[in-house]
Amino acid sequence: MAAMSDDHAALLAFDRDHVWHPYSSALTPSDPWLVESAQGVRLRLRDRDGTAREVIDAMSSWWCAVHGYRVPELDAAARDQLDRMSHVMFGGLTHEPAVALARRLLAQAPAGLEHVFLADSGSVSVEVAMKAALQFHLAAGRHRTRFFTIRGGYHGDTFSPMSVTDPVGGMHALFRGVLPEHVFAPRPPAGLDVPPDDPAMVAWERATTDLYAAHAAEVAAVIVEPVLQGAGGMHVYAPHVLDVLHRLAREHGALVIHDEIATGFHRTGPRWAGDRVDTPPDILCVGKALTGGYLTLAAMLCTREVAEGVSRGAAGGLMHGPTFMGNPLACAVASANLDLLAARDTEAEVRRVETGLRDGLAGARDLATVADVRTLGAVGVVQLREPVRVAEVAAAAIARGAWVRPFRDLVYTMPPYVTSDEDLGTLTAALVGAVADVHG
Ligand SMILES: *Cc1c(COP(=O)(O)O)cnc(C)c1O
């Protein structure tokens, strides 16, 4: 990689001047690290002075790379599919990789889900879910155009998902007049184990029930991330909240959409975070870990009732069809990924990671700047009393051997499930050490 190392300053300079990064400014560009390759749970970075450095990826590339990088089974699936075709259109054509993936997804899905829409990103799958809910009611002659959700959520960056993302986190003020206005219940009390009779929970349930009643006739669907709100603030809440939201939706003829783009495929322990309640959703969105982090792919799954209801409308079908819908390469890798998750004892693996994170992050509680430390499945969160100095914490963690990407007041990790106990030790020590180095 000698040529790469000679060029690395030039690459970074061009990047800084011309390439957008997530939520970045052209005036004060972010200062990204150059990744040369990745293998196992490690990223091979170029340090600021040009020296190569290997760090453990504490982020699984934003929840995706659950088996790490250069996974032999996934590499083989991609190569095999490349030898057949990497893409064909899905309008009027179908292919084995799409059908095989749909079969696997439906076999694993919550009860009652029978139809799959293969979308090209998580945000698009949420768009399609919301569109399906609207079309479902329209087809039955009901003018229901609003969605009901809880504050603190995150559902993606395109306009419909943004409109049900937390009003502050989703920058609703910035886009006032453009974003449709949906109905936001308060954020539920923090903690997986908060009992239904806890005073804070009782108050939440009353406020939410009253708010719902005021809008019941216009609500098409309830949309939530079950049990763990991810990018909206890594907030954990009790399954009772889902029970309440499901009951309100049922009582008032609305659908329930579970957005498991971040939580699906065992990230919180069970395959679906929503498995913690008895009632399945009408619509499920999955993405992120679907291809094991290899390619962009997501899916919207729905019940036969929803699928047929939508199809009875004047439009005659679900009005969506992305160019790269059902991309064969992505589907083939996704099937291999689901097979790999099934072949391994993934639930046990996630329990092991959870123990490693809980033990490794516990020391953060002793830091004066730390407000809370929490873990759920293969997710570990250190919440500060102040905004994280993101660039400094990331640099300090890299110096200690891990890649983390904090946001707001949160330094968090959701490592690959295959991270060894020793690497979990290094990773959590790096995370706690970086917080201590920068915030004291
Ligand atoms: C990441 C995420 C999305 C958006 O997915 P993209 O692939 O980034 O469009 C939607 N919902 C949740 C819960 C997510 O975590």
Side-chain angles (χ1 to χ4, degrees):
M1 301 301 278
M4 186 72 146
S5 77
D6 293 342
D7 284 347
H8 101 277
L11 281 174
L12 289 175
F14 193 90
D15 181 286
R16 188 175 52 245
D17 288 344
H18 301 285
V19 182
W20 289 113
H21 283 264
Y23 317 105
S24 67
S25 161
L27 297 175
T28 53
S30 61
D31 203 5
W33 299 78
L34 186 66
V35 189
E36 291 187 346
S37 60
Q39 165 90 51
V41 299
R42 285 177 165 70
L43 307 178
R44 188 177 160 87
L45 304 180
R46 279 284 150 191
D47 223 333
R48 297 301 192 215
D49 65 5
T51 55
R53 182 191 280 277
E54 288 204 344
V55 293
I56 298 167
D57 180 11
M59 309 306 289
S60 297
S61 282
W62 273 341
W63 314 79
C64 299
V66 289
H67 312 288
Y69 301 91
R70 296 190 60 197
V71 184
E73 293 87 343
L74 304 188
D75 286 358
R79 281 199 199 95
D80 288 352
Q81 188 54 43
L82 274 174
D83 286 341
R84 295 189 189 96
M85 60 192 171
S86 44
H87 183 66
V88 291
M89 64 188 282
F90 212 50
L93 299 176
T94 194
H95 45 76
E96 191 269 342
V99 177
L101 175 60
R103 242 191 236 290
R104 283 172 174 77
L105 275 174
L106 292 177
Q108 309 194 340
L113 301 184
E114 294 188 38
H115 288 259
V116 184
F117 186 103
L118 294 167
D120 38 10
S121 75
S123 299
V124 171
S125 76
V126 173
E127 293 276 355
V128 173
M130 293 174 72
K131 192 181 272 188
L134 293 174
Q135 282 197 244
F136 174 79
H137 290 290
L138 272 178
R142 291 184 294 270
H143 188 70
R144 291 185 173 221
T145 57
R146 298 184 87 184
F147 289 85
F148 190 92
T149 187
I150 51 180
R151 293 191 72 123
Y154 176 81
H155 297 284
D157 283 351
T158 59
F159 277 84
S160 303
M162 204 166 47
S163 72
V164 285
T165 289
D166 184 76
V168 177
M171 293 162 289
H172 289 207
L174 179 63
F175 298 109
R176 181 158 296 139
V178 181
L179 280 183
E181 294 187 4
H182 298 304
V183 188
F184 289 84
R187 176 172 251 185
L192 190 69
D193 302 323
V194 178
D197 61 356
D198 178 277
M201 184 63 89
V202 171
W204 176 84
E205 185 169 341
R206 187 175 311 123
T208 299
T209 303
D210 291 349
L211 181 70
Y212 198 108
H215 296 280
E218 31 173 20
V219 173
V222 169
I223 178 168
V224 279
E225 297 154 276
V227 172
L228 171 66
Q229 296 179 304
M234 308 302 290
H235 182 78
V236 179
Y237 65 82
H240 178 69
V241 168
L242 290 178
D243 282 330
V244 170
L245 293 171
H246 278 246
R247 178 174 50 74
L248 289 169
R250 297 279 174 262
E251 279 173 12
H252 297 285
L255 299 173
V256 173
I257 303 170
H258 280 184
D259 178 350
E260 295 236 23
I261 292 167
T263 52
F265 307 112
H266 296 284
R267 181 51 74 178
T268 73
R271 180 182 285 127
W272 311 114
D275 285 349
R276 292 177 173 87
V277 294
D278 293 334
T279 46
D282 302 290
I283 298 177
L284 174 72
C285 293
V286 301
K288 290 207 160 96
L290 176 58
T291 64
Y294 268 52
L295 288 152
T296 175
L297 185 71
M300 183 282 291
L301 285 64
C302 68
T303 61
R304 179 170 298 276
E305 188 196 354
V306 170
E308 292 182 352
V310 164
S311 308
R312 274 193 285 271
L318 179 54
M319 288 296 108
H320 216 93
T323 306
F324 283 96
M325 182 168 181
N327 174 255
L329 199 50
C331 288
V333 175
S335 283
N337 172 50
L338 297 186
D339 290 348
L340 202 49
L341 285 170
R344 293 181 178 163
D345 189 349
T346 301
E347 262 192 72
E349 219 164 37
V350 168
R351 265 197 304 278
R352 179 186 60 78
V353 172
E354 180 168 27
T355 303
L357 294 179
R358 188 182 303 126
D359 294 349
L361 296 177
R365 289 204 175 82
D366 300 334
L367 300 173
T369 46
V370 169
D372 186 40
V373 179
R374 51 189 180 269
T375 51
L376 179 69
V379 181
V381 184
V382 175
Q383 185 159 21
L384 306 193
R385 299 183 196 283
E386 59 201 27
V388 180
R389 301 214 289 271
V390 172
E392 288 167 69
V393 168
I398 284 175
R400 290 169 172 273
W403 166 244
V404 290
R405 178 73 180 163
F407 70 105
R408 288 193 226 151
D409 55 354
L410 301 162
V411 187
Y412 68 109
T413 173
M414 57 283 183
Y417 302 162
V418 296
T419 311
S420 69
D421 290 340
E422 192 186 340
D423 284 345
L424 285 171
T426 305
L427 180 168
T428 51
L431 204 151
V432 177
V435 171
D437 290 348
V438 175
H439 290 268

